[in-house]
Amino acid sequence: MKPNVKIIDCTIRDGGLVNNWDFSIEFVQDLYNGLNDAGVEYMEIGYKNSPALLNSTEPNPWRFLDDDFLKQVIPEKKTTKLSALVDIGRVDPNDILPREESILDMIRVACYVREVDKGLELVEMFHNLGYETSLNIMALSSVPEQQLIEAFDMVRESSVDVVYIVDSFGSLDPRDVMHQVKKFSELIPNKTLGIHTHNNLQLAFANTLTAMRNGVTYLDSSIYGMGRAAGNCHTELLVGYIPKTTYELKPLLHVIEKHMLTMREKWEWGYIIPYMVSGILNEHPRVAMAYRNSDERDQFVNFYDKVTTPEASHSPMPK
Amino acid sequence: MKPNVKIIDCTIRDGGLVNNWDFSIEFVQDLYNGLNDAGVEYMEIGYKNSPALLNSTEPNPWRFLDDDFLKQVIPEKKTTKLSALVDIGRVDPNDILPREESILDMIRVACYVREVDKGLELVEMFHNLGYETSLNIMALSSVPEQQLIEAFDMVRESSVDVVYIVDSFGSLDPRDVMHQVKKFSELIPNKTLGIHTHNNLQLAFANTLTAMRNGVTYLDSSIYGMGRAAGNCHTELLVGYIPKTTYELKPLLHVIEKHMLTMREKWEWGYIIPYMVSGILNEHPRVAMAYRNSDERDQFVNFYDKVTTPEASHSPMPK
């Protein structure tokens, strides 16, 4: 097992997609302290997108991270590092301080494979400002191989530190992950690899373990799995299971006990049938998420018919 | 992928450990019809133990299966076969009809490795009565290798059809499963293999897939995962994911929609922190189950302390 594995807890960022980032400052502080005590290496504390570029007028501190605000939330930085995610076309370069003036350590860039050039432009900028960087290529399960090979010609020459395999649709299984890790390792042997999973098929933890055992270093997760739709690999499973002497499960159990049970009652994520179906179909969960917000939310047969009839312009059952 | 894979849905048997077999006849009939329409090959419809041998005076038709009763429940047998599980020392041989007079097709014998001789005696008897048979060796994750090798000398010479890898504590991961399958295949090459998983670490589906891809034929599961403690591999995941032309997901979605959501509100199974902890510790879930029935049920830190302090006479964290 790789001893230098690093966990990035994405609860605030990916979980924010569940509750529109309705996290109390107390929760974020408890989570930071819990992750730190548990030995988790990174906490992704939100998106660093620009409200102007998203036409947003409502305040949303974890979606539009601000360094001054963050320094109030975490006045005393401990061992756990902080990261933020940005999207192509949604981040204003003028918002980003040089790393020595920021509380953030890492900036991660999410992009689709067709935008890798734009993604790497941002990476270059953040790298030059002193940040650790990653490129998170989304929707990997539906990327044609040739497109990935071309994108990787650029990635290989870039200054990006970590390249992520992102299973946006939660449709990969351990065998698929092994295949992707092998491909990434061959095409960009000079880059450290990461994995970000979704739990539509209850395979997020297995996929993350498989990635780790095949040489992937950065493992994304969220506490109690809180992330969009079916959620992510559970941070407490990684910390409890991976034999790294610095990991301690108990501080995470404390956060779960104090916060996550009530949060799960208030907001919905996890293994839910429409998300399972979209995972099997290798599709974005947005149709399923809309369905879960409708009056028909528990009519699973109806949902299945909707997304599998040809006129719905969804792809047919892949296997 | 193995085309001759067979699913055994254990909802009534293993799920009965959750609700003391409080299943309505309507539910059992709907499940049988749903499994049949979904192409599931077997339904384990309960235990065929003897009430006298368990000192039980309460009627419990799915725990103490009776052929006359079963024929009323399922007056018209369809394609899906029926199985029952028996425990060593709890089954009265006089209760078992010859197969041609019974509605059951398969009788499975659960035993610990030290009782394999007694298990095989029962198997021999059921085999001679005409049934398909399996031997389900429980608590595999804590069986010393040498004990298994000796037990398999007997198994190899027996008439048992299927030998199961049973992850009673939900503590195996896909790599462990691969190792066990390899060992079983080498030691008893003349036997068909099966796998029965528990979902403590959210690895039940991944473990079952891994087993299948390494040559295991019989896959146990239960609908919506309903089984003791953390539950089992979900039948709907197997049927939705395995590319076998006879499998249809929709009939199972119908059963889930009609029954499982309300049943899950009434009874508890699935990913719950104390079960996760007992999975990591490779222990029987009974301590965690008792804790979930106490007032302290959501005090996860306290539970963790209880089961990891040396005086609790539990094994320490294994990794």
Side-chain angles (χ1 to χ4, degrees):
Chain A
M1 243 186 256
K2 222 178 154 101
N4 66 337
V5 62
K6 292 174 199 306
I7 298 173
I8 301 194
D9 181 276
C10 301
T11 309
I12 305 303
R13 204 266 311 156
D14 207 320
L17 295 162
V18 167
N19 68 352
N20 196 31
W21 297 274
D22 187 7
F23 297 111
S24 70
I25 289 176
E26 186 203 7
F27 172 69
V28 176
Q29 290 174 331
D30 284 352
L31 183 59
Y32 181 73
N33 292 326
L35 292 170
N36 184 75
D37 295 347
V40 172
E41 291 82 358
Y42 291 83
M43 171 176 178
E44 187 152 271
I45 198 159
Y47 279 99
K48 191 149 179 63
N49 286 330
S50 152
L53 292 172
L54 275 156
N55 293 320
S56 176
T57 51
E58 280 177 34
N60 201 330
W62 316 113
R63 191 179 180 197
F64 308 119
L65 290 174
D66 171 86
D67 266 284
D68 290 335
F69 173 75
L70 272 188
K71 284 167 193 162
Q72 291 170 31
V73 175
I74 301 180
E76 194 191 346
K77 190 118 164 262
K78 299 179 180 171
T79 309
T80 298
K81 292 182 176 181
L82 294 175
S83 81
L85 190 72
V86 301
D87 291 317
I88 307 283
R90 294 179 174 178
V91 55
D92 180 350
N94 300 317
D95 282 353
I96 314 286
L97 296 174
R99 181 177 175 183
E100 61 267 24
E101 297 168 33
S102 172
I103 195 170
L104 297 172
D105 300 283
M106 184 179 212
I107 301 187
R108 311 204 300 169
V109 177
C111 69
Y112 291 103
V113 71
R114 63 174 185 278
E115 318 162 311
V116 159
D117 53 337
K118 294 200 183 82
L120 290 174
E121 255 178 41
L122 287 173
V123 161
E124 236 35 70
M125 191 185 77
F126 301 139
H127 176 78
N128 291 335
L129 286 168
Y131 293 98
E132 302 173 32
T133 58
S134 83
L135 188 73
N136 297 20
I137 303 172
M138 297 184 288
L140 195 76
S141 57
S142 50
V143 171
E145 177 118 2
Q146 191 50 40
Q147 244 180 308
L148 197 68
I149 290 173
E150 286 167 20
F152 278 175
D153 287 340
M154 292 182 270
V155 171
R156 208 169 32 244
E157 308 303 324
S158 77
S159 58
V160 71
D161 299 310
V162 187
V163 180
Y164 264 80
I165 296 164
V166 182
D167 180 18
S168 303
F169 304 161
S171 58
L172 298 182
D173 71 29
R175 196 170 60 177
D176 302 325
V177 167
M178 221 177 313
H179 174 77
Q180 294 290 353
V181 173
K182 198 160 164 274
K183 197 161 64 180
F184 275 54
S185 306
E186 284 167 7
L187 294 172
I188 42 173
N190 58 332
K191 298 301 177 189
T192 302
L193 300 184
I195 185 148
H196 180 92
T197 58
H198 280 272
N199 210 14
N200 301 60
L201 302 176
Q202 299 192 358
L203 292 173
F205 179 46
N207 286 342
T208 306
L209 269 189
T210 301
M212 180 184 76
R213 288 173 174 170
N214 285 275
V216 169
T217 304
Y218 283 76
L219 313 179
D220 279 17
S221 61
S222 53
I223 192 150
Y224 214 50
M226 185 183 187
R228 188 178 61 190
N232 308 117
C233 177
H234 289 229
T235 306
E236 72 273 16
L237 282 170
L238 294 179
V239 167
Y241 203 73
I242 295 174
K244 184 169 176 175
T245 49
T246 42
Y247 288 162
E248 286 291 341
L249 180 56
K250 216 162 98 168
L252 300 183
L253 298 183
H254 185 70
V255 176
I256 294 171
E257 172 181 323
K258 182 172 176 191
H259 294 287
M260 301 316 293
L261 298 184
T262 46
M263 284 169 65
R264 181 59 187 80
E265 276 171 27
K266 199 164 164 190
W267 299 297
E268 173 176 291
W269 70 87
Y271 180 78
I272 290 159
I273 294 296
Y275 301 145
M276 181 273 269
V277 171
S278 70
I280 286 182
L281 296 173
N282 189 18
E283 290 188 359
H284 194 287
R286 69 172 72 84
V287 179
M289 290 167 77
Y291 199 79
R292 290 298 290 171
N293 281 322
S294 76
D295 291 342
E296 296 172 321
R297 65 200 308 275
D298 287 334
Q299 294 176 31
F300 304 143
V301 173
N302 184 42
F303 175 78
Y304 183 80
D305 283 341
K306 265 193 178 177
V307 295
T308 55
T309 46
E311 57 272 31
S313 76
H314 284 86
S315 38
M317 295 289 281
K319 335 192 184 185
Chain B
M1 244 191 253
K2 221 173 156 109
N4 66 336
V5 62
K6 292 174 200 303
I7 298 173
I8 300 195
D9 181 278
C10 302
T11 310
I12 305 303
R13 204 266 312 155
D14 207 320
L17 295 162
V18 168
N19 68 351
N20 196 30
W21 298 273
D22 186 7
F23 297 110
S24 70
I25 289 176
E26 186 203 8
F27 173 69
V28 176
Q29 290 173 330
D30 283 353
L31 182 60
Y32 181 74
N33 291 327
L35 292 170
N36 185 74
D37 294 347
V40 172
E41 290 83 357
Y42 291 81
M43 172 174 175
E44 187 153 272
I45 199 160
Y47 279 98
K48 194 153 178 58
N49 286 331
S50 151
L53 293 173
L54 275 156
N55 293 322
S56 177
T57 51
E58 281 177 32
N60 201 330
W62 316 113
R63 192 179 179 196
F64 308 117
L65 290 174
D66 172 86
D67 267 283
D68 291 335
F69 173 75
L70 273 188
K71 283 168 191 158
Q72 291 169 30
V73 176
I74 301 182
E76 194 192 345
K77 187 114 165 264
K78 299 178 179 173
T79 309
T80 298
K81 293 181 174 179
L82 294 175
S83 81
L85 190 73
V86 302
D87 290 317
I88 307 282
R90 295 180 174 178
V91 55
D92 179 352
N94 301 316
D95 282 351
I96 315 285
L97 297 173
R99 180 177 176 183
E100 62 267 24
E101 297 169 35
S102 172
I103 195 170
L104 296 172
D105 300 283
M106 183 177 212
I107 301 187
R108 311 204 299 169
V109 178
C111 68
Y112 290 102
V113 72
R114 64 175 184 276
E115 318 163 311
V116 159
D117 54 335
K118 295 201 183 81
L120 289 173
E121 255 178 43
L122 287 174
V123 160
E124 233 42 64
M125 189 186 80
F126 302 139
H127 176 78
N128 292 335
L129 286 168
Y131 292 97
E132 302 173 31
T133 58
S134 82
L135 187 73
N136 297 20
I137 303 172
M138 296 184 287
L140 195 76
S141 56
S142 50
V143 171
E145 177 117 1
Q146 192 49 39
Q147 242 180 316
L148 198 68
I149 290 173
E150 286 167 19
F152 277 176
D153 286 341
M154 292 181 269
V155 171
R156 207 167 33 243
E157 308 303 323
S158 77
S159 59
V160 71
D161 298 309
V162 187
V163 180
Y164 263 80
I165 296 165
V166 182
D167 181 17
S168 303
F169 304 161
S171 58
L172 298 182
D173 70 29
R175 195 171 60 177
D176 302 326
V177 167
M178 220 176 314
H179 174 77
Q180 294 289 355
V181 172
K182 196 161 165 276
K183 197 160 63 179
F184 275 54
S185 305
E186 283 167 7
L187 293 172
I188 41 172
N190 58 333
K191 297 301 177 190
T192 302
L193 300 184
I195 184 147
H196 180 91
T197 59
H198 280 272
N199 210 15
N200 301 58
L201 301 177
Q202 300 193 358
L203 292 173
F205 179 46
N207 286 342
T208 307
L209 270 189
T210 300
M212 179 183 78
R213 289 175 173 167
N214 286 276
V216 169
T217 304
Y218 283 75
L219 314 178
D220 278 17
S221 61
S222 53
I223 192 151
Y224 213 51
M226 186 183 187
R228 187 179 61 191
N232 308 118
C233 176
H234 289 228
T235 306
E236 72 273 16
L237 282 170
L238 293 179
V239 166
Y241 203 73
I242 295 174
K244 183 168 177 177
T245 48
T246 42
Y247 287 162
E248 286 290 340
L249 179 57
K250 217 162 100 168
L252 300 183
L253 298 183
H254 185 70
V255 177
I256 294 172
E257 172 181 324
K258 183 173 176 189
H259 293 287
M260 301 316 293
L261 298 185
T262 47
M263 284 169 67
R264 180 59 186 81
E265 276 170 28
K266 199 165 165 188
W267 299 297
E268 174 175 290
W269 71 86
Y271 180 78
I272 290 159
I273 295 295
Y275 302 145
M276 181 274 268
V277 171
S278 70
I280 286 182
L281 297 174
N282 188 18
E283 290 188 358
H284 194 287
R286 70 172 70 83
V287 179
M289 290 167 77
Y291 199 78
R292 290 298 290 171
N293 281 323
S294 77
D295 291 341
E296 297 172 322
R297 63 200 309 274
D298 287 332
Q299 294 176 30
F300 304 144
V301 173
N302 183 42
F303 175 78
Y304 184 81
D305 283 340
K306 266 192 177 177
V307 295
T308 55
T309 46
E311 55 272 31
S313 76
H314 284 88
S315 38
M317 295 288 281
K319 334 190 183 191

